[in-house]
Amino acid sequence: VVRAGSKVVISPIVNVTYGVPVVVSFSVDNKTAVTYTVVKSDGTVIAKDVGVDELSVTLRDLGAGNYTISIFNAEGDNYFGSNASANFTVDKAGSLVTISDIVNVTYPDAVTVEFAVENETSVTYTVVKSDGTVIAKDVVVDGSPVTLRDLDVGNYTDCKCVV
């Protein structure tokens, strides 16, 4: 009696945005012991030889980047082993900065700027006077609010916040 073959087929994987789990569905003909390995494109092994009983794997907490998942069906007494690999991408999440309305102040009072950041990483701000004079550039912020002191009299209409 000759051993029968086995076959692993991975369904197309939908790319996701950072923070969203990656779901990998697959089928196995003549299933024995199934494991998977996930490797990032730079060669970093994320998971190695992880056993799985179901016909899907949910991967969480992956950083942005390109990955390869390989699914292995082990050789058994009655079946040959097989494997399949597929690539997927975890895209960077976008950021959104919302700045509250800024009220006019009277010199020499300070200006308080409150803001909220969705998917915050590192926040900097730049303040430019309406005549183009840069007052502050790429100042790192450690949260909201930001208080701007010692501003000269004038209009400050070009303010950038970068995440």
Side-chain angles (χ1 to χ4, degrees):
V1 176
V2 177
R3 277 192 254 180
S6 69
K7 183 177 182 182
V8 176
V9 176
I10 300 174
S11 301
I13 303 171
V14 176
N15 293 337
V16 299
T17 301
Y18 173 76
V20 176
V22 177
V23 177
V24 179
S25 298
F26 58 93
S27 63
V28 180
D29 292 342
N30 298 324
K31 182 179 174 198
T32 58
V34 177
T35 60
Y36 70 89
T37 296
V38 178
V39 179
K40 194 167 183 179
S41 61
D42 66 4
T44 303
V45 176
I46 306 302
K48 183 170 177 57
D49 298 330
V50 178
V52 60
D53 293 325
E54 303 297 321
L55 293 177
S56 70
V57 174
T58 300
L59 305 170
R60 302 180 194 290
D61 302 321
L62 294 176
N66 297 313
Y67 295 86
T68 300
I69 185 169
S70 299
I71 299 176
F72 305 92
N73 187 44
E75 184 173 311
D77 292 338
N78 299 316
Y79 303 107
F80 288 107
S82 61
N83 64 72
S85 296
N87 299 318
F88 63 92
T89 300
V90 177
D91 295 316
K92 291 182 179 181
S95 294
L96 175 66
V97 178
T98 305
I99 299 174
S100 300
D101 290 338
I102 302 170
V103 297
N104 290 331
V105 297
T106 304
Y107 180 85
D109 293 346
V111 176
T112 299
V113 180
E114 294 188 22
F115 63 92
V117 181
E118 180 180 304
N119 297 327
E120 179 176 343
T121 55
S122 173
V123 178
T124 63
Y125 71 85
T126 297
V127 178
V128 180
K129 201 168 178 181
S130 59
D131 68 2
T133 305
V134 176
I135 306 303
K137 182 173 174 78
D138 298 330
V139 178
V140 177
V141 178
D142 190 28
S144 179
V146 171
T147 302
L148 306 173
R149 301 182 194 291
D150 302 321
L151 294 176
D152 291 335
V153 173
N155 291 319
Y156 297 84
T157 57
D158 186 14
C159 183
K160 292 186 246 176
C161 191
V162 179
V163 179

